[in-house]
Structure formats: structure tokens, C-alpha cells
């Protein structure tokens, strides 16, 4: 048996295979994979990788398809010390070329062949051979601090960065999340989130670390199948982004509340959520633990808040997820700011990335050992944190820092379907910056004068946009984050 002490996740999977071998780990369509089968197949693919000449430190690009073979390959790579470059199967050809050029993979799994990559080997999951011979001994030492995964940020800009996460990082994140939510090994989770993003991949790791069951759902587009999966498998939890919640309620109203007796937990993240929707969720799931995280690919789930616990403070993004995480508000020089002052949210903890793949990207990424999130916020006297917005997106109106999300929520409360606010130079040259609002034309019954009039009772006078512009669709990432930077160029 090879030493797997470098990975707490692998250690847990091996233990589950011994102690609960017949328990279902994964459900995907008609496939029900037990923990014994899961571990056996991880070992088998590890043998295949080694026979293909894959060694410690080699990179593998793996298309994050919602298939059991992806899970086998993901952990098999960890087992032999190679590095997973996790990529969205729907990624653009240009982005894939960029990632291939940057990471120089030995093999590319689960992605379409591209003409310019004739020198690279593309393998589909259906063609992976499950080698049943004994896993050769690993002749090299693997450390918990070695890179396990590289994930490329989607973010709110057009310049993705490669985020290097160690075995310690990904296990630390999973432990932190499980500790906060308080899950047990009897959970059954429906996973509709994409595995190519840190949220969905993190949910998979959390579930398997505990020894509970994960139902791999294609996505949330088929709500009937999502509801059927909860019913059929007696699911106890799921994760979602606010855009998914908007989709669920738009298409099915409050129908999801019929599962209030089954659902024990819901994890939400990746974007902000209007207060009224938080209150709606609390009403529909009065006994569930509804947890919302703040974090990023670089510093997964740094802060957490639970809706019922924070019912009188739903604007907060919570507190550090565990005592292993420290969050500070700092100025541009890395000085910790007093309670109540606005500054950059900086994070230190067991889940914070090793660093970016390109050395030059790390130049201004940290204040000492604290990762600079690029987000602007503050902390109150009780240790609760509040997000104002991305540093570049904050609107500095005559010295007053205004969150674009604050203005956007006010505009949407008037009946506007979607909008985005960005800073522009004050046309009068008095305040430095003022707000400009892009209004999605589809579904909007108000004109700009009507919006301004409606905002007079919702915002301070200086917060009301001075310019408006119609737009066909607000640019967003696949997880629902507004790409305000693209509107500022």
C-alpha cells in the first residue's frame, strides 16, 4: 500500500472503503458507486496513469464533467502526486489553448481535440482503461504542501489566473465547511453546481470526506429532475448560487418548500443575494441550516453566516469560518484598520492558496501572509464583516465610498429585472466620481426619470445615478457575478 498521508481526502476515502464498503458514495444516472468501488477505481486509474508515465509534479488537464470517471481520475492523480488542472468542459478554444501553453500537460482528459494541439494527447473518459493490477510503489515523497489542483479563475475580469491549491488547502477548506455547517455522514446531497468551479468541486470534497452520498445532477436547468432527485433519494442538502435560486423561484414559485421536512442544509455562495430572497428562504425552510459563504478560488469560503442566526443582520457576510482562519481589514500598505473603517478584506488560513501559477501574478497578491481579496469591506465591533464591493468597482463620491450593489438592489426593488452600476468621472467635476447605471431593457417598464424618482426614497441623494444607459443583457460570469469591469472600459 502506498503512503497517502499527504492527502487527508485520500486517507478518508481509503478508510471509508474499509469501514463502510457497501455504502453509496456517488449516484450518477443508473450508476450507484459504493465507497469500496470508488476506492478500487481510484487505485485502478492511478495504475493506468503510472503506466502512461505520469509522475509526481506532472500536470494533467481534466475536463470537469459530471461523471464518475472524473471523480476517479481527480483523486487518482492526487494519489500519485500529479497536478490536476481543472477546466470547464465548455471552455473556449482560445482559453484552452492558453491553459495548455501555460501548464504543459502530459495528457488532456475529457475535452475536445483542438487542431493547434496536435502535439498533445487528448483522452475521453469513456476511453480510460481501468487497470486492475497492483499499484506500483511510489518512489518519491509527496508532501501535503505540494500542489494538488490548479484552477483558473473566472472572476469579474477577462484575465484568468492560475490558482495553485495544495493537498493541505483543499482538505482544510473541506474541514472548515463541514465544521461550520455541521454535516454528518448520513447526508445525501444533490450536486447541480459545476465541478469546474471551486464551489461545486468543494461540495464534492466535503461530501466524500464525511463518507456521505453525492448525487451528481447535470445542472439545475431541468428543475423537474432536480426535484425528482430530492424526492427519489431523500436528499438532505444542496448547494446553489443566487442566480440558481432566482431561476428556481421564477419557474416554480415556492414549490421547493414541499421539501422543507427533508432538507437539513443549503450552502449558497459566489455572488450576493438580495435581503428579501434571504428572508424568503428562511420562510420556506424554517428548520434548515441556510449557510452563505464569502470567498474566492484563492481563499475558499473564508467567511460564513447562517440566515436564521443572522436574521437581524442579514447584510453581513459573516465571520471567519473556523478559528483556523483570520480575516483583517487593511489599507493599501497592509496596515490593519480600526473597527468600522473601510479597507481591503485580507485573509489568512489553511485554505488560502499557495500562490498563483505565474510568478508575476503574486507580486501584489499578499500583504505578508494575508491574501488580498481585492474586495472592499469593513468589520463591526462584534467581529462581523460587511462587503462593499470590488476595490476597482467602489464608487468614491466626494470621499464617500458607495457600493454599486447597494444601488443595484435599490433599482431592482423598483421592478427592474437586472442592472449594473459603475463609477464614472463626475461630469460637473465636483465629486470626483458619480454612479452610472446600466439598465437591462428587457422586462423594464420604467424610464430613467421614473427610476430616479423611485430612488429618492431609497438612497441618499449622492448615491442616485447621474447617468443611465440601456443594455440588452448585464454581463455576468457563469456563477452570476456581475462583470462590472467590462462596463467600465
Amino acid at each position: 500500500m502506498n503512503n497517502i498521508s499527504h492527502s487527508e481526502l485520500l486517507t478518508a476515502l481509503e478508510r471509508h472503503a474499509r469501514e463502510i464498503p457497501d455504502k453509496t458514495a456517488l449516484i450518477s444516472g443508473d450508476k450507484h458507486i459504493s465507497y469500496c468501488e470508488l476506492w478500487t477505481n481510484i487505485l485502478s486509474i492511478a495504475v493506468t496513469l503510472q503506466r502512461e508515465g505520469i509522475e509526481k509534479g506532472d500536470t494533467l488537464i481534466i475536463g470537469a464533467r459530471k461523471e464518475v470517471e472524473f471523480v476517479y481520475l481527480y483523486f487518482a492523480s492526487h494519489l500519485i502526486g500529479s497536478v490536476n488542472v481543472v477546466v470547464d468542459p465548455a471552455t473556449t478554444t482560445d482559453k484552452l489553448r492558453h491553459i495548455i501553453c501555460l501548464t504543459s500537460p502530459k495528457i488532456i482528459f475529457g475535452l475536445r481535440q483542438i487542431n493547434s494541439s496536435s502535439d498533445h494527447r487528448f483522452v475521453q473518459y469513456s476511453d480510460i482503461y481501468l487497470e486492475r493490477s497492483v499499484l506500483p510503489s511510489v518512489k518519491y515523497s509527496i508532501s501535503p504542501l505540494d500542489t494538488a489542483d490548479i484552477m483558473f479563475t473566472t472572476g469579474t475580469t477577462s484575465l484568468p489566473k492560475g490558482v495553485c491549491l495544495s493537498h493541505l488547502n483543499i482538505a482544510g477548506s473541506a474541514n472548515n465547511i463541514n465544521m461550520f455547517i455541521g454535516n454528518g455522514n448520513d447526508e445525501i446531497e444533490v450536486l447541480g453546481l459545476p465541478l469546474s468551479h471551486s464551489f461545486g468541486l468543494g461540495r464534492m470534497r466535503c461530501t466524500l470526506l464525511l463518507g456521505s452520498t453525492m448525487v451528481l445532477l447535470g445542472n439545475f436547468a431541468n428543475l423537474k429532475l432536480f426535484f425528482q432527485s430530492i424526492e427519489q433519494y431523500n436528499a438532505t442538502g444542496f448547494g446553489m448560487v443566487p442566480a440558481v435560486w432566482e431561476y428556481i423561484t421564477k419557474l416554480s414559485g415556492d414549490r421547493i418548500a414541499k421539501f422543507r421536512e427533508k432538507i437539513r442544509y443549503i450552502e449558497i455562495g459566489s455572488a450576493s443575494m438580495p435581503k428579501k430572497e434571504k428572508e424568503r428562504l428562511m420562510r420556506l425552510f424554517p428548520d434548515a441550516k441556510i449557510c452563505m459563504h464569502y470567498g474566492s478560488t484563492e481563499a475558499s469560503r473564508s467567511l460564513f453566516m447562517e440566515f436564521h442566526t443572522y436574521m437581524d443582520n442579514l447584510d453581513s457576510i459573516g465571520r471567519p469560518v473556523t478559528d483556523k482562519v483570520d480575516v483583517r481589514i487593511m489599507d493599501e500598505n497592509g496596515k490593519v484598520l480600526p473597527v468600522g473603517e473601510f479597507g481591503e478584506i485580507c485573509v489568512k488560513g489553511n485554505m488560502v492558496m499557495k500562490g498563483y501559477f505565474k510568478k508575476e501574478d503574486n507580486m501584489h497578491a499578499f500583504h505578508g501572509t494575508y491574501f488580498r481579496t481585492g474586495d472592499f469591506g469593513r468589520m463591526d465591533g462584534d467581529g462581523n464583516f460587511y462587503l462593499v464591493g470590488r476595490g476597482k468597482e467602489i464608487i468614491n463620491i466626494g470621499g464617500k465610498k458607495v457600493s454599486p450593489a447597494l444601488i443595484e438592489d435599490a433599482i431592482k426593488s423598483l421592478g427592474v429585472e437586472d442592472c449594473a452600476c459603475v463609477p464614472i468621472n463626475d461630469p460637473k467635476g465636483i465629486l470626483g466620481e458619480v454612479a452610472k447605471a446600466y439598465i437591462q431593457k428587457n422586462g423594464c417598464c420604467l424610464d430613467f426619470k421614473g427610476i430616479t424618482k423611485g430612488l429618492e426614497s431609497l438612497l441618499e441623494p449622492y448615491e442616485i445615478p447621474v447617468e443611465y444607459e440601456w443594455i440588452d443583457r448585464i454581463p455576468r460570469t457563469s456563477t452570476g457575478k456581475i462583470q462590472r469591469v467590462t462596463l467600465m472600459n
Side-chain angles (χ1 to χ4, degrees):
M1 180 64 195
N2 289 282
N3 182 11
I4 54 176
S5 60
H6 63 282
S7 170
E8 186 177 349
L9 287 160
L10 291 174
T11 301
L13 291 177
E14 189 275 335
R15 182 175 66 252
H16 299 331
R18 284 187 288 103
E19 297 179 354
I20 48 173
D22 298 326
K23 183 174 181 179
T24 300
L26 299 169
I27 298 173
S28 179
D30 296 333
K31 297 178 181 177
H32 288 238
I33 308 299
S34 69
Y35 272 98
C36 180
E37 291 174 298
L38 173 60
W39 185 242
T40 298
N41 289 330
I42 289 170
L43 293 176
S44 296
I45 290 186
V47 171
T48 299
L49 292 176
Q50 286 193 322
R51 296 202 188 285
E52 291 291 335
I54 304 300
E55 299 181 346
K56 176 188 175 182
D58 288 342
T59 55
L60 306 175
I61 289 182
I62 56 176
R65 298 188 179 279
K66 204 76 68 67
E67 301 172 14
V68 293
E69 288 79 10
F70 166 80
V71 183
Y72 304 156
L73 177 62
Y74 177 80
F75 287 111
S77 175
H78 287 178
L79 182 60
I80 64 173
S82 53
V83 180
N84 293 322
V85 182
V86 183
V87 173
D88 185 343
T91 194
T92 64
T93 299
D94 286 346
K95 185 174 180 180
L96 180 56
R97 284 198 187 103
H98 171 72
I99 293 173
I100 290 172
C101 181
L102 202 62
T103 61
S104 302
K106 282 287 189 74
I107 305 180
I108 300 166
F109 290 96
L111 294 172
R112 65 192 181 281
Q113 175 84 44
I114 57 177
N115 294 333
S116 62
S117 294
S118 57
D119 293 337
H120 292 88
R121 185 179 172 196
F122 285 73
V123 177
Q124 298 306 310
Y125 288 133
S126 58
D127 296 329
I128 296 177
Y129 177 66
L130 292 177
E131 176 65 67
R132 297 300 182 184
S133 56
V134 178
L135 179 68
S137 295
V138 177
K139 298 178 182 178
Y140 33 75
S141 176
I142 306 171
S143 164
L145 299 179
D146 288 338
T147 300
D149 296 344
I150 299 174
M151 303 194 73
F152 281 81
T153 60
T154 51
T156 53
T157 75
S158 58
L159 299 173
K161 298 176 181 178
V163 176
C164 297
L165 300 168
S166 68
H167 296 281
L168 185 66
N169 290 153
I170 61 176
S173 175
N175 276 317
N176 291 346
I177 298 162
N178 286 340
M179 189 177 299
F180 181 87
I181 297 178
N183 291 346
N185 62 7
D186 59 341
E187 309 292 359
I188 300 173
E189 179 168 333
V190 176
L191 181 67
L193 295 164
L195 290 170
S196 56
H197 293 180
S198 62
F199 189 2
L201 194 58
R203 287 301 328 145
M204 182 196 77
R205 291 191 294 249
C206 287
T207 301
L208 297 180
L209 179 64
L210 287 171
S212 46
T213 300
M214 176 68 74
V215 181
L216 298 175
L217 184 71
N219 54 49
F220 287 100
N222 188 339
L223 277 186
K224 183 178 180 181
L225 182 59
F226 173 55
F227 289 160
Q228 284 178 345
S229 297
I230 295 176
E231 188 73 52
Q232 179 179 355
Y233 300 113
N234 290 311
T236 59
F238 61 93
M240 65 177 177
V241 297
V244 165
W245 176 244
E246 184 180 349
Y247 175 77
I248 290 173
T249 55
K250 188 173 183 178
L251 268 64
S252 63
D254 291 346
R255 278 182 53 205
I256 196 170
K258 70 179 181 179
F259 302 117
R260 68 174 64 193
E261 302 299 325
K262 297 177 181 288
I263 299 300
R264 301 176 190 168
Y265 68 94
I266 302 169
E267 186 184 350
I268 306 167
S270 297
S272 61
M273 179 179 249
K275 183 178 179 181
K276 66 176 182 179
E277 294 304 323
K278 294 178 183 179
E279 292 170 340
R280 184 179 188 179
L281 262 169
M282 291 166 61
R283 186 179 73 252
L284 297 180
F285 292 95
D287 300 316
K289 197 165 186 180
I290 308 172
C291 305
M292 190 160 194
H293 69 251
Y294 163 81
S296 62
T297 305
E298 297 93 334
S300 177
R301 276 72 144 217
S302 306
L303 301 168
F304 257 103
M305 56 90 76
E306 197 282 317
F307 287 5
H308 298 292
T309 305
Y310 276 74
M311 61 184 300
D312 296 324
N313 195 14
L314 290 173
D315 293 330
S316 171
I317 54 174
R319 300 182 182 184
V321 56
T322 67
D323 59 6
K324 297 182 183 298
V325 177
D326 187 27
V327 181
R328 305 285 179 93
I329 302 296
M330 296 183 177
D331 66 14
E332 59 184 10
N333 298 314
K335 178 183 176 182
V336 178
L337 296 174
V339 168
E341 287 198 20
F342 291 95
E344 186 175 9
I345 300 173
C346 299
V347 182
K348 177 182 179 180
N350 56 354
M351 75 301 176
V352 174
M353 68 170 182
K354 294 176 60 177
Y356 290 114
F357 186 78
K358 294 175 67 175
K359 290 182 179 180
E360 55 266 37
D361 289 335
N362 293 300
M363 189 173 298
H364 302 293
F366 290 85
H367 279 316
T369 55
Y370 286 80
F371 170 66
R372 300 178 62 182
T373 66
D375 286 331
F376 209 75
R378 65 180 178 86
M379 183 183 74
D380 68 17
D382 295 322
N384 299 307
F385 286 82
Y386 300 82
L387 179 65
V388 178
R390 296 293 296 176
K392 293 180 181 178
E393 299 167 358
I394 296 300
I395 309 172
N396 188 348
I397 305 176
K400 295 184 173 69
K401 306 297 192 297
V402 179
S403 165
L406 174 74
I407 304 173
E408 290 158 1
D409 287 345
I411 293 174
K412 286 190 282 189
S413 74
L414 300 174
V416 173
E417 186 168 323
D418 204 2
C419 63
C421 287
V422 299
I424 61 170
N425 292 329
D426 181 7
K428 298 180 179 179
I430 299 173
L431 298 174
E433 292 181 342
V434 290
K436 175 178 179 177
Y438 287 86
I439 308 295
Q440 186 166 298
K441 197 165 188 177
N442 181 39
C444 183
C445 299
L446 295 171
D447 59 17
F448 296 153
K449 287 185 179 179
I451 294 172
T452 298
K453 183 67 175 176
L455 293 177
E456 289 177 355
S457 61
L458 302 174
L459 298 173
E460 297 293 334
Y462 64 88
E463 295 172 332
I464 297 174
V466 301
E467 284 190 14
Y468 296 89
E469 184 176 327
W470 293 115
I471 192 170
D472 291 333
R473 180 174 291 277
I474 300 299
R476 291 180 180 272
T477 67
S478 58
T479 55
K481 295 179 183 177
I482 298 175
Q483 293 180 302
R484 297 187 186 89
V485 172
T486 66
L487 299 173
M488 294 162 59
N489 295 333

